[in-house]
């Protein structure tokens, strides 16, 4: 099999779904027609939106009609349901953008179109049509850690260094077009999934570049790992050069403008390209700025200064070129996730205790 081309990753699909019609009633004997089948979406680990599109180019899913009532069977059989296998991490939206449901674990089901009722005394023995609608399947990657950074921060290289992913790495600014998932394997067999998402650019919240697609995927990651180039970053000849500190503020601003609660996620910072000349000086400058960010906000124009600055649980200098700091980064990611899981567990136990006390 050849490598999938850029852009083959689909994270949004429109489907037409229709429940089956009910069956005819039997006026003479008061017989009821069968109900039409329903259309269900079922989460499946091996499913993908691309596969649905390839297998069903018309993207139409219609359930079977209910059986008519007859002398032999006064109560008609229900029509067969139609089941569509969808990947995990799907939000199901109606045509006008309202959420119908979410599918996050294998086997979860979501009803998207009901079958019509069969003909009976109440309906003058005439059957009803099934519900029909357009639904949008919106895929968000579910990963433990989401890599956040501007193009060229070295996210793809970092992903291939820490995990078993083999992202395609190009040497121009807009490199990762489709999300890449990698897994970090630990000696005790624990696995942590890391998603490298399409590079963020200034103005992503306003949907420049891959903006919204990118930010949408971040919502589902448990933690963020910001990756910045220690020597700073310049998007193009037209944009200003940004230092590592300014880059962090800009990334924070993008996340904040899209959804403030993203900043409440636990975050780590990887300062990459420590093999470059002057990187030690740049790093100590950055550390100084991160300790008192308020003192340095004046460096940026007001409209790009975030309301709140980001707090990092750990700051790890790395070089994907020499391998410096990579093992430490893996350890920090693991520690951070374990701590959060313990905290959640504790909160859960506390809530349970409280419930017991109040109900007692």
């Amino acid at each position: 099999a050849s490598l999938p081309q850029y852009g083959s990753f689909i994270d949004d699909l429109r489907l037409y779904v229709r429940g089956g019609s009910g069956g005819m009633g039997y006026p003479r004997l008061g017989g009821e027609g069968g109900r039409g089948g329903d259309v269900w979406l079922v989460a499946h680990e091996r499913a993908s939106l691309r596969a649905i599109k390839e297998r069903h180019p018309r993207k139409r899913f219609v359930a079977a009609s209910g059986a008519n009532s007859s002398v032999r069977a006064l109560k008609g059989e229900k029509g067969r349901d139609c089941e569509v296998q969808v990947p995990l991490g799907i939000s199901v939206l109606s045509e006008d953008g309202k959420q119908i449901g979410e599918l996050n674990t294998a086997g979860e089901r979501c009803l998207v179109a009901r079958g019509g009722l069969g003909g009976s005394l109440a309906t003058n023995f005439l059957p009803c049509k099934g519900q029909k609608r357009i639904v949008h399947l919106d895929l968000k990657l579910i990963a433990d850690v989401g890599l956040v950074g501007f193009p060229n921060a070295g996210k793809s290289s970092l992903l291939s260094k820490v995990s078993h992913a083999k992202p395609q790495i190009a040497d121009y600014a807009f490199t990762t077009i489709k999300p890449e998932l990698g897994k970090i394997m630990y000696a005790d067999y624990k696995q942590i999934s890391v998603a490298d998402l399409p590079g963020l650019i200034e103005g992503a919240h306003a949907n420049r570049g891959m903006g919204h697609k990118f930010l949408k995927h971040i919502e589902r990651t448990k933690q963020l790992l910001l990756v910045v180039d220690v020597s700073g970053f310049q998007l193009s000849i037209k944009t200003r050069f940004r230092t590592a500190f300014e880059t962090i503020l800009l990334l924070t601003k993008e996340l904040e403008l899209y959804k403030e609660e993203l900043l409440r996620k636990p975050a780590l910072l990887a300062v990459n390209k420590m093999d470059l000349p002057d990187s030690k000086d740049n790093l100590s400058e950055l550390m100084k700025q991160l300790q008192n960010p308020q003192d340095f906000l004046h460096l940026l124009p007001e409209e790009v200064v975030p309301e709140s600055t980001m707090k990092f649980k750990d700051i790890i200098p790395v070089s994907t070129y020499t391998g410096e700091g990579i093992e430490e980064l893996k350890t920090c990611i693991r520690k951070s996730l374990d701590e959060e899981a313990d905290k959640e567990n504790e909160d859960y136990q506390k809530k349970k205790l409280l419930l017991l006390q109040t109900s007692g």
Side-chain angles (χ1 to χ4, degrees):
S2 63
L3 271 171
Q5 288 304 300
Y6 274 161
S8 72
F9 182 86
I10 301 178
D11 57 5
D12 182 41
L13 199 60
R14 245 175 115 224
L15 307 181
Y16 169 85
V17 292
R18 193 177 83 217
S21 303
M24 294 289 285
Y26 201 126
R28 226 181 48 222
L29 299 171
E32 267 186 42
R35 213 167 78 72
D38 303 315
V39 183
W40 292 87
L41 303 181
V42 186
H44 198 273
E45 276 178 341
R46 284 197 295 280
S48 75
L49 294 184
R50 184 162 196 80
I52 297 176
K53 194 174 166 186
E54 280 170 358
R55 240 172 263 146
H56 308 273
R58 293 179 62 206
K59 298 178 293 194
R60 288 172 63 89
F61 295 91
V62 180
S65 303
N68 295 336
S69 168
S70 67
V71 179
R72 284 198 308 283
L74 284 180
K75 180 118 181 69
E77 289 265 306
K78 178 181 184 299
R80 272 189 59 182
D81 288 348
C82 167
E83 294 195 347
V84 188
Q85 290 192 344
V86 298
L88 277 53
I90 286 275
S91 289
V92 188
L93 309 169
S94 62
E95 183 78 297
D96 56 2
K98 290 205 173 64
Q99 187 154 332
I100 299 167
E102 279 202 325
L103 297 160
N104 294 326
T105 52
E108 260 188 277
R109 300 164 66 81
C110 173
L111 178 64
V112 285
R114 279 183 188 287
L117 293 173
S120 66
L121 187 58
T123 64
N124 222 351
F125 297 100
L126 294 172
C128 304
K129 283 201 160 88
Q131 180 186 17
K132 60 175 188 205
R133 70 204 308 194
I134 300 275
V135 292
H136 280 269
L137 307 187
D138 194 13
L139 175 69
K140 298 180 183 184
L141 287 182
I142 302 176
D144 297 312
V145 181
L147 300 183
V148 180
F150 285 128
N152 280 18
K155 301 195 309 300
S156 295
S157 310
L158 188 65
L159 184 69
S160 55
K161 274 281 184 296
V162 298
S163 77
H164 292 267
K166 296 189 174 49
Q168 293 170 312
I169 299 165
D171 50 7
Y172 53 92
F174 298 91
T175 38
T176 307
I177 308 292
K178 64 183 190 20
E180 292 280 358
L181 266 180
K183 279 203 169 8
I184 310 180
M185 312 291 223
Y186 291 89
D188 61 357
Y189 301 108
K190 183 176 168 81
Q191 297 184 9
I192 286 176
S193 57
V194 182
D196 169 23
L197 305 157
L200 200 53
I201 64 171
E202 289 187 39
H205 66 276
N207 229 347
R208 270 189 223 142
M210 299 283 284
H212 263 183
K213 275 194 164 177
F214 164 85
L215 290 159
K216 179 184 89 176
H217 289 303
I218 287 198
E219 285 181 62
R220 291 230 178 154
T221 54
K222 292 182 192 157
Q223 304 211 353
L224 306 180
L225 172 60
L226 264 72
V227 186
V228 298
D229 179 334
V230 67
S231 54
F233 165 69
Q234 187 169 10
L235 187 61
S236 70
I237 308 161
K238 294 193 192 94
T239 55
R240 279 190 39 200
F241 172 79
R242 308 289 190 188
T243 64
F245 176 68
E246 289 175 307
T247 306
I248 292 167
L249 290 183
L250 285 165
L251 288 168
T252 308
K253 183 72 174 175
E254 287 300 332
L255 297 175
E256 183 178 87
L257 286 168
Y258 177 71
K259 248 195 198 144
E260 239 173 297
E261 51 264 37
L262 288 179
L263 299 186
R264 292 193 207 111
K265 287 183 189 283
L268 300 172
L269 173 65
V271 184
N272 192 15
K273 309 199 183 176
M274 288 304 294
D275 49 281
L276 296 177
D278 298 334
S279 59
K280 297 274 182 293
D281 297 345
N282 287 336
L283 179 67
S284 56
E285 177 72 5
L286 173 63
M287 296 305 268
K288 200 166 74 202
Q289 292 169 317
L290 285 173
Q291 267 152 6
N292 301 301
Q294 293 336 91
D295 302 350
F296 299 95
L297 296 181
H298 64 273
L299 299 172
L300 278 165
E302 212 166 300
E303 67 273 12
V304 291
V305 173
E307 303 286 313
S308 51
T309 46
M310 226 165 171
K311 305 271 184 288
F312 298 106
K313 291 179 75 170
D314 269 306
I315 297 173
I316 308 100
V318 298
S319 159
T320 52
Y321 184 67
T322 63
E324 173 197 339
I326 296 294
E327 283 312 309
E328 191 194 339
L329 176 62
K330 284 186 186 173
T331 311
C332 284
I333 291 175
R334 169 78 188 258
K335 197 176 94 209
S336 177
L337 277 162
D338 287 349
E339 280 169 11
E340 293 306 316
D342 288 347
K343 217 157 76 188
E344 260 176 45
N345 208 350
E346 241 173 74
D347 289 347
Y348 173 71
Q349 297 300 347
K350 273 188 202 145
K351 272 194 196 122
K352 244 167 83 172
L353 251 167
L354 254 173
L355 275 173
L356 283 170
Q357 288 163 349
T358 49
S359 64

